[in-house]
Amino acid sequence: MDVFMHSIYDWFLRHRFAVDFILMAVLWLALAPFSMVTSVYDGNYASSWLTVLFATALVFPLAWRRTRTVMAGCIIAAVAILQWALFVQPMPADIAVPVIVYALAAFGPRWASLGGLGLAMIGSIMLVSRFFYDLTSRSVADLPYGVVTVIAVWVLVLFSWTAGDLTRTKRLRQQALSDRAHRLEIEAQHERELAASDERAHIAREMHDIVAHSLSVIITQADGARYAAVANPEIAPETLATIAQTGRSSLQEMRRLLGVLRGDAEASTRPLPGLMDLDELLLGIRAAGLPVTVEVKGGARRLLPPGAELTAYRVVQEGLTNTMKHAGPNAEASVTLDWTARGLDVSVRDNGRDASASYSEKGSGALSGPDGGNGLRGMAERVKLYDGTLHTGPLPGGGFGITASIPYTEN
């Protein structure tokens, strides 16, 4: 039902002129006959068609009350002044005056809004003094009647203008909120792009270290084989096999470097961490006060590429860091390394009481996280780089879980 009503409301907003034209036509069909009947009832058959003409001229501009507000206001004001000048009796179609005062206040510029209000207030005095209170024939004793009539018309005009001004304020506030939401959406998109760019630059620096290390190994092995082959030719095949394996690994890493933007900071020559460095990481985590249990299932059928090992290391590091920051007091964590036929499954789970609420506020899924998703989004990008998958989210019994699957080789 709400969706249906919203669709109707949106249609009204997109077709303002059509809606206003229909309302104008309905109003004209309701008021023009009454104006003619009033003239016929007074016995003035000749002026009945003049009354219908003025009624049409007063009501017809209302079709542009929102799309051409100032133009409609000027036309109605001119017709009303002409009606006063020709001494055409007031008619039901004169209701167009307070309607256009409302429209000017709601949809017109501020100067037109105030100008329409002032003109309508003056016109009220002109109306009463000409048709309801004749200053030349009435005594001073009848003056209160004229004053009350003017005040009554003023109340109607002021009510119309106030309602229109409130509508204008509400419309401007909604527009400001819509603009702010759009601006925040653009800023959030820029922040996500910057976070992804920073993470790509970080990955590029780490990959540069791996490739540089591999090339250093190739050069060292080649130089060593050239000198050792003279004394012991049997060393050459083993050295060439090492060079070939290192070259293949370097080629895979170089393929991943394509399309990745790199920062201008020089890469470090220090070896990057891998699975062998998890024990040192866990010692630091335990020293910080977070109990961590580790379980290793199965065995590796082959070695993971150095970059994949680094990714697994970062997944464990990010998961435990998030646990320390967001899982609350007395939390415990568990790390599981499951070697399967396809590759390595890394799982980091905690039982933090506050973790589920903290993460769920930001949303669940592969890119959710307590810091707006940048940390987990970076992990997802790392894992995807090696054709892996990452799943994150609150656990059914409380806490939060991160599971990454990293294959031995990319597809």
Side-chain angles (χ1 to χ4, degrees), residues 15-43:
H15 303 83
R16 290 187 174 184
F17 177 75
V19 173
D20 292 344
F21 186 86
I22 294 174
L23 293 178
M24 178 275 299
V26 172
L27 186 62
W28 183 85
L29 291 174
L31 297 180
F34 283 103
S35 300
M36 180 180 290
V37 169
T38 302
S39 299
V40 174
Y41 180 78
D42 293 338

Side-chain angles (χ1 to χ4, degrees), residues 19-82:
V19 173
D20 292 344
F21 186 86
I22 294 174
L23 293 178
M24 178 275 299
V26 172
L27 186 62
W28 183 85
L29 291 174
L31 297 180
F34 283 103
S35 300
M36 180 180 290
V37 169
T38 302
S39 299
V40 174
Y41 180 78
D42 293 338
N44 191 356
Y45 296 96
S47 64
S48 60
W49 292 106
L50 183 62
T51 303
V52 174
L53 178 61
F54 271 92
T56 303
L58 285 170
V59 175
F60 189 74
L62 293 179
W64 291 272
R65 66 184 185 90
R66 287 190 294 179
T67 55
R68 298 289 187 272
T69 309
V70 176
M71 180 193 73
C74 292
I75 294 175
I76 292 177
V79 174
I81 293 174
L82 185 62

Side-chain angles (χ1 to χ4, degrees), residues 204-210 212 262-270:
R205 288 191 293 269
E206 293 181 346
M207 291 303 176
H208 178 272
D209 290 341
I210 296 172
R262 184 184 183 280
D264 55 358
E266 295 184 359
S268 173
T269 57
R270 182 178 61 86

Side-chain angles (χ1 to χ4, degrees), residues 275 296-304 309 337-345 406 408:
L275 295 178
V296 180
K297 299 180 181 180
R301 295 190 176 186
R302 68 181 73 172
L303 294 176
L304 287 174
E309 283 201 11
L337 303 179
D338 187 8
W339 294 96
T340 63
R342 185 172 181 269
L344 174 63
D345 292 341
I406 304 174
Y408 287 112

Side-chain angles (χ1 to χ4, degrees), residues 119-337:
L119 188 60
M121 299 289 281
I122 297 174
S124 301
I125 301 176
M126 297 169 60
L127 172 69
V128 173
S129 64
R130 188 168 182 83
F131 297 102
F132 299 101
Y133 184 80
D134 191 353
L135 297 177
T136 62
S137 61
R138 296 289 182 92
S139 63
V140 179
D142 295 330
L143 183 61
Y145 168 77
V147 173
V148 171
T149 306
V150 171
I151 292 177
V153 178
W154 278 0
V155 169
L156 176 61
V157 172
L158 287 173
F159 176 80
S160 301
W161 185 87
T162 303
D165 195 65
L166 290 176
T167 302
R168 173 193 183 90
T169 302
K170 180 180 178 181
R171 178 174 56 85
L172 293 178
R173 183 183 297 113
Q174 290 177 347
Q175 183 178 358
L177 291 176
S178 178
D179 293 342
R180 182 174 181 270
H182 181 67
R183 187 166 57 252
L184 290 176
E185 182 179 356
I186 294 177
E187 292 176 356
Q189 179 65 26
H190 289 170
E191 289 179 359
R192 289 192 294 268
E193 292 175 356
L194 289 175
S197 178
D198 292 341
E199 189 61 30
R200 289 190 184 96
H202 184 61
I203 293 173
R205 288 191 293 269
E206 293 181 346
M207 291 303 176
H208 178 272
D209 290 341
I210 296 172
V211 174
H213 173 73
S214 300
L215 292 178
S216 298
V217 172
I218 291 175
I219 294 172
T220 302
Q221 292 289 331
D223 290 339
R226 184 179 58 180
Y227 295 111
V230 177
N232 188 2
E234 297 179 355
I235 297 179
E238 298 179 358
T239 305
L240 292 175
T242 302
I243 293 175
Q245 180 61 31
T246 305
R248 293 191 188 96
S249 177
S250 300
L251 181 60
Q252 293 175 355
E253 303 299 336
M254 191 63 71
R255 286 169 50 196
R256 298 187 184 97
L257 280 174
L258 297 177
V260 180
L261 299 178
R262 184 184 183 280
D264 55 358
E266 295 184 359
S268 173
T269 57
R270 182 178 61 86
L272 294 172
L275 295 178
M276 298 298 296
D277 301 293
L278 285 178
D279 291 337
E280 182 179 356
L281 172 65
L282 296 175
L283 286 176
I285 296 295
R286 293 190 181 105
L290 176 64
V292 182
T293 60
V294 181
E295 181 180 6
V296 180
K297 299 180 181 180
R301 295 190 176 186
R302 68 181 73 172
L303 294 176
L304 287 174
E309 283 201 11
L310 173 62
T311 299
Y313 179 91
R314 296 302 188 199
V315 169
V316 176
Q317 184 183 46
E318 182 72 15
L320 295 178
T321 302
N322 286 340
T323 299
M324 295 176 60
K325 292 168 59 179
H326 304 284
N330 302 322
E332 298 180 358
S334 62
V335 178
T336 303
L337 303 179

